[in-house]
Amino acid sequence: MGEQSNRFHREIVRPSTEELLKVTEGQMILDIACGNGNFSRRLADLGAEVVAFDYSATMIERALLRSTDYLNRIQYQVVDATNYDSLIELGIGRYDGAVANMALMDIADLTHLTRALQQLLKRNGVFVFSIPHPCFQAPNTRKIHETEDINGEIVTRNSVQISKYLTPEPTETIGIKGQPVSHLIFHRPLSYYVQLFLSTGFVLDGWEEPSFQIDEDSGKRFDWYELPPAVLFRFRKL
């Protein structure tokens, strides 16, 4: 991710997350699974006070190294998002909002985090998160890029072929091209997330399905234009 993050984060995740989160000066925001702190620093630039945590102590070390100019605005911690007691220690009723960028699919059990967020957020506080779109990036999805000559014009089409969607299941995957080993993600249908949060006192009041904008390289590769590669939710605490 580095300092500038990758194209997926810059064009798909960050703009929609900022639109749904609507950070204002002085808000307290919880950044869940913060990685190297890329978005934590962005939140601070937008005026927020940030508490950021990750399960990986190494990631937190990287975040601290990259955030030397932000340590008066960002507090980094090593926390397990599946440990309810550790989450509650972050501060009951402390946060105006919480965010998790492309992380919930990496967490085996979301029930403890969901319960904790109901306690951590202030009344009317929001939780915004992004995940790979489960309708178009389900286990064993085939990405298809076709080129056809139609009446002297080269036409390209992108499509996906899926055979699984409804059943939650773990699967090994490559998240970023070039990573040395695969990792587990936990596929869940859209209804799983909605039912989980509604059952713990949240309401769904924001939803985005962003896609890439067509550019000069369109037609040369599989890219996500009409098929959104991610989906973002905003749940609000009642």
Side-chain angles (χ1 to χ4, degrees):
M1 298 297 288
E3 293 295 341
Q4 303 301 321
S5 72
N6 58 21
R7 182 185 177 216
F8 189 89
H9 180 81
R10 291 193 305 270
E11 297 185 28
I12 298 295
V13 175
R14 194 171 83 178
S16 293
T17 300
E18 292 181 10
E19 174 63 26
L20 290 172
L21 197 57
K22 297 187 184 302
V23 173
T24 59
E25 183 76 28
Q27 283 189 323
M28 180 66 72
I29 305 294
L30 181 65
D31 189 1
I32 298 164
C34 64
N36 78 357
N38 185 285
F39 196 67
S40 303
R41 294 185 290 277
R42 174 62 177 168
L43 289 169
D45 287 338
L46 293 172
E49 301 290 329
V50 183
V51 174
F53 74 83
D54 201 280
Y55 178 77
S56 168
T58 301
M59 280 293 191
I60 293 300
E61 290 175 5
R62 299 293 188 272
L64 287 167
L65 288 170
R66 291 180 178 275
S67 305
T68 54
D69 295 334
Y70 290 86
L71 296 184
N72 62 328
R73 302 293 299 274
I74 306 172
Q75 177 187 348
Y76 289 109
Q77 297 189 40
V78 178
V79 177
D80 182 350
T82 67
N83 187 314
Y84 178 81
D85 292 334
S86 296
L87 292 167
I88 288 300
E89 290 178 2
L90 294 169
I92 293 176
R94 184 181 182 188
Y95 301 96
D96 300 285
V99 63
N101 289 323
M102 300 299 288
L104 296 197
M105 71 286 181
D106 295 328
I107 301 173
D109 183 356
L110 298 177
T111 56
H112 300 293
L113 176 62
T114 309
R115 283 198 305 125
L117 283 168
Q118 182 61 225
Q119 299 298 313
L120 297 170
L121 289 169
K122 298 176 183 178
R123 185 177 180 183
N124 208 40
V126 298
F127 176 43
V128 175
F129 67 89
S130 54
I131 54 172
H133 203 306
C135 295
F136 306 111
Q137 300 206 62
N140 306 121
T141 296
R142 294 182 62 196
K143 298 180 178 70
I144 303 166
H145 179 70
E146 301 174 305
T147 302
E148 183 179 0
D149 186 338
I150 301 178
N151 297 323
E153 181 181 357
I154 302 300
V155 177
T156 62
R157 300 185 186 90
N158 292 328
S159 60
V160 295
Q161 182 182 73
I162 66 169
S163 58
K164 298 179 179 181
Y165 170 69
L166 287 174
T167 303
E169 64 174 291
T171 184
E172 289 195 2
T173 188
I174 298 295
I176 298 178
K177 186 178 180 180
Q179 71 182 60
V181 295
S182 61
H183 66 276
L184 278 176
I185 66 169
F186 298 87
H187 166 77
R188 303 169 177 109
L190 295 173
S191 58
Y192 173 92
Y193 294 97
V194 175
Q195 292 168 8
L196 177 65
F197 282 91
L198 295 185
S199 70
T200 47
F202 288 88
V203 295
L204 174 62
D205 75 342
W207 169 287
E208 294 285 346
E209 294 176 296
S211 63
F212 287 113
Q213 298 298 308
I214 295 176
D215 58 23
E216 65 273 9
D217 291 325
S218 302
K220 300 178 184 178
R221 64 191 179 211
F222 183 97
D223 221 332
W224 302 86
Y225 302 116
E226 284 296 323
L227 302 176
V231 59
L232 293 91
F233 296 87
R234 182 177 64 209
F235 286 96
R236 188 177 299 274
K237 176 182 173 179
L238 291 175

